[in-house]
Amino acid sequence: MSTATRPSVLTQAVKPSRAIPILLILFVFSLVLDNGFKFMSPALADSLNLPVTTVSLQATLAGILIGIGAVVYAALADSISIRKLIIFAIILMTVGSLVGFVFQGNFSMILVGRLIQSAGLAAAETLYVIYVTKHFRGDEQKKYLGFSTAAFQLSLLIGTVGSGFIATYIGWAAFFLVALLSLLAIPVVLRTVPKEATGGGHVDVFGLFLIAVFATGLIMFMQNFNLWYLLPVVAGLALFIWHIRTHDNAVITSAFFANAQYSLMIIVVFITYSVQLGYTFLFSFLISDVYGYNLGEVALLLIPGYVAAVIVGTLTGKIAKYLSSKQAITIALVAIVVSLLIPALLVDKGVWIFVISMSLFPMAFALMYGPLVSTAIERVPVANSGIAIGFYNLTINIAVPVGIAYTATLMKLQPNLLGGITDGAQASSYGSVLLILTGVAALGLVLYRVFIVFIERQGSEVAAARKAVAD
C-alpha cells in the first residue's frame, strides 16, 4: 500500500496552515462522537432492555471499522484529494447518524447507523496526520503532530462528559443529532483546505477484508466463547499470513514482521491497549451500579483525569528531555497496572478511589503513546515508516474493541475472585473484572521488559559484529 507522505503540488494559492484549525476540530469532533457512544452504553442497554454484551457491539464493531477505514483513507489520499475525502466522510457521518436516530427503537438499525457513521469518523485522525506530513517539515510538523495527542485526550473528556449529560438529561438518541453539526464544516473545508494534485493510489481490499474477518471473529468469540467463531479467526489469520507473504502490494508485507523490534512492540501494543477502553466501558456501569450515580454524574468524575492527560500529551516533547523511551514506557505501564489494581481491591470503599484511578490511567496512556510508537518504528526504514505507523494504529483500533468485548463478557459472567475482601456480590464481581484487567496490563508490562532486554541484546550483538568487521 502506498502512503501519502510526499509533498503535494497545490493547484490554488492557499496557505496549508489555514486548514489546520478545521482539520483539528473535525479530528476532535469525530473522536468525541465515537467515545461518547462507547460511554453511554449503559443508557442504551437500559432503554432497549439489552444485555451488556449485545450493546457492546455498537462500540466493538464500530471500532474495527474505524481502524480499517483509517487505512483505507490513508491509501485513497494518494489518488483523491484530502478535501474531497473529508467532505465524503462528513456526509457518511451525517447519514449514519440520521439512520441511528430515526430507528432508535431498533438495535439492529442502530448498529447499522453506527457502522455508517463510523465509516465517516475513520477519516478525521488519519487525514489530519497525512495532511500535516504532506505540507509541513521539521519543527512545524512536530508541533502539529503533537496537537493530535492532546486532541485525542480532549475528545475523551468532551465525549464522556457531553454524552453523559445528554443521555441523562435529554436522551441518549439525541447524541446522534450532534453529528449534524459537522455539516457546518463543509464551507470552511472548501475555503481553507487546498486542492491537491494526486497520483496513483492502491487499497489492499483483500488484505483489509481478512483483517476484518479475523478481528470480527475474535470479538464475536469474546462475546460468548462460542468455538465456532474461532473458525474465521484461524482462517482469517492463516490467509492474511499467506497474503502478505505472496503479494508485494499487500497492506503490510512480511518484511515488517521480520523486524523483531517492530513485531514485539506490536504485541505489547495489542495487549496493553485492549485494557484502555475496556476500563472506560466498565467504569460507567460500575459507578452506576455500585454507587448509584447517573451518567451525567459519572462523567464529572472523569474530568480531572482527562484534563491531566491533555496536559501530559502537550508536554510529551519536554518530558522526553528527562526520560528515555524505556523509562517513560515502563513508568506508564506500571501506572496503568496500579490504576487498575487499587480500585479492584477497594472497589466499594468510596468513589474518591476511582477519581484517583481515572486520573492516573489516562495520564499513563498519554505518556506512553509517543515513546512506544518511536520504539516500534526505530528500526523501520524511513521509506516504510508511514505504512508501519498505519498498521500500528490499526492494531490499536482492533485491540480497543477486543478489550471492550472481553470486558463486557466478564461483566456478564460476574466472576468472584474477591470473596471476603469486598462487601456484596455486585462489588465483588466488578472488582474481579478489574483484577483480571490488571493481570492483562501486568502481562503487557512483563512482555515489554522481556522484549526490550532481547532487543537491546540483539542491538549489542549487531554492533559488536559490525565493529569486528570494521577492525
Side-chain angles (χ1 to χ4, degrees), residues 261-262 264-273 324-326 328-330 332-333 336 364-378 392 396 444 448 451-452:
Q261 183 162 331
Y262 182 78
L264 295 176
M265 289 304 104
I266 284 292
I267 294 172
V268 173
V269 166
F270 183 83
I271 292 171
T272 305
Y273 275 90
S324 67
S325 290
K326 182 168 73 171
I329 295 169
T330 301
L333 287 170
I336 291 168
F365 275 97
L367 174 63
M368 182 178 66
Y369 180 78
L372 194 53
V373 171
S374 177
T375 301
I377 67 170
E378 184 178 4
Y392 180 99
I396 292 177
Y448 171 74
F451 291 163
I452 206 68

Side-chain angles (χ1 to χ4, degrees), residues 279-468:
Y279 183 23
T280 304
F281 181 82
L282 167 79
F283 188 83
S284 54
F285 285 96
L286 188 158
I287 301 299
S288 297
D289 291 343
V290 176
Y291 293 98
Y293 282 43
N294 63 44
L295 278 180
E297 293 168 332
V298 174
L300 292 177
L301 301 179
L302 297 170
I303 292 178
Y306 288 139
V307 170
V310 170
I311 295 172
V312 171
T314 58
L315 295 178
T316 49
K318 293 184 178 179
I319 293 173
K321 296 178 181 179
Y322 301 96
L323 295 175
S324 67
S325 290
K326 182 168 73 171
Q327 290 172 329
I329 295 169
T330 301
I331 291 171
L333 287 170
V334 170
I336 291 168
V337 172
V338 170
S339 63
L340 290 167
L341 180 61
I342 291 176
L345 299 177
L346 304 174
V347 65
D348 58 349
K349 305 306 180 186
V351 171
W352 63 271
I353 294 167
F354 290 92
V355 175
I356 295 173
S357 169
M358 264 300 183
S359 294
L360 186 60
F361 190 73
M363 286 173 62
F365 275 97
L367 174 63
M368 182 178 66
Y369 180 78
L372 194 53
V373 171
S374 177
T375 301
I377 67 170
E378 184 178 4
R379 297 182 185 177
V380 173
V382 175
N384 296 328
S385 60
I387 300 173
I389 291 173
F391 193 81
Y392 180 99
N393 287 332
L394 176 61
T395 301
I396 292 177
N397 280 300
I398 291 176
V400 164
V402 166
I404 293 174
Y406 71 64
T407 301
T409 299
L410 288 170
M411 290 165 62
K412 181 181 178 181
L413 294 174
Q414 298 182 331
N416 184 5
L417 307 176
L418 299 172
I421 298 178
T422 59
D423 297 328
Q426 192 171 56
S428 178
S429 173
Y430 278 119
S432 299
V433 175
L434 279 172
L435 196 61
I436 294 171
L437 292 180
T438 303
V440 176
L443 176 62
L445 170 61
V446 171
L447 287 178
Y448 171 74
R449 295 299 300 182
V450 171
F451 291 163
I452 206 68
V453 168
F454 169 78
I455 290 167
E456 289 175 346
R457 185 176 300 165
Q458 186 184 56
S460 298
E461 292 174 354
V462 171
R466 289 176 178 172
K467 186 176 184 301

Side-chain angles (χ1 to χ4, degrees), residues 30 33-34 37 57-70 73 85-103 107-124 176 179-180 182:
S30 296
L33 290 174
D34 186 54
F37 276 104
L57 288 174
Q58 63 86 20
T60 55
L61 297 183
I64 292 175
L65 191 59
I66 287 176
I68 292 173
Y73 281 112
L85 289 175
I86 291 171
I87 293 172
F88 174 72
I90 290 173
I91 293 171
L92 277 181
M93 194 188 312
T94 303
V95 170
S97 299
L98 288 174
V99 169
F101 180 77
V102 171
F103 298 99
F107 182 72
S108 296
M109 291 305 296
I110 290 172
L111 188 58
V112 170
R114 279 283 287 134
L115 293 177
I116 297 173
Q117 180 195 67
S118 298
L121 299 179
F176 274 117
L180 302 186
S182 64

Side-chain angles (χ1 to χ4, degrees), residues 24-25 63 87 211 266 274 424:
L24 203 55
I25 288 171
I87 293 172
I211 292 173
I266 284 292
S274 73

Side-chain angles (χ1 to χ4, degrees), residues 19-136:
I20 291 295
I22 189 61
L23 293 179
L24 203 55
I25 288 171
L26 286 171
F27 179 176
V28 173
F29 184 77
S30 296
L31 291 176
V32 162
L33 290 174
D34 186 54
N35 291 317
F37 276 104
K38 289 184 174 75
F39 181 74
M40 65 167 55
S41 293
L44 206 158
D46 290 341
S47 174
L48 300 178
N49 194 27
L50 294 172
V52 62
T53 48
T54 300
V55 169
S56 68
L57 288 174
Q58 63 86 20
T60 55
L61 297 183
I64 292 175
L65 191 59
I66 287 176
I68 292 173
V71 179
V72 172
Y73 281 112
L76 291 177
D78 270 345
S79 55
I80 302 174
S81 73
I82 288 176
R83 182 161 73 165
K84 290 180 180 178
L85 289 175
I86 291 171
I87 293 172
F88 174 72
I90 290 173
I91 293 171
L92 277 181
M93 194 188 312
T94 303
V95 170
S97 299
L98 288 174
V99 169
F101 180 77
V102 171
F103 298 99
Q104 59 187 267
N106 185 320
F107 182 72
S108 296
M109 291 305 296
I110 290 172
L111 188 58
V112 170
R114 279 283 287 134
L115 293 177
I116 297 173
Q117 180 195 67
S118 298
L121 299 179
E125 181 178 2
T126 296
L127 294 181
Y128 173 79
V129 172
I130 289 175
Y131 183 85
V132 169
T133 56
K134 269 189 171 187
H135 294 284
F136 302 97

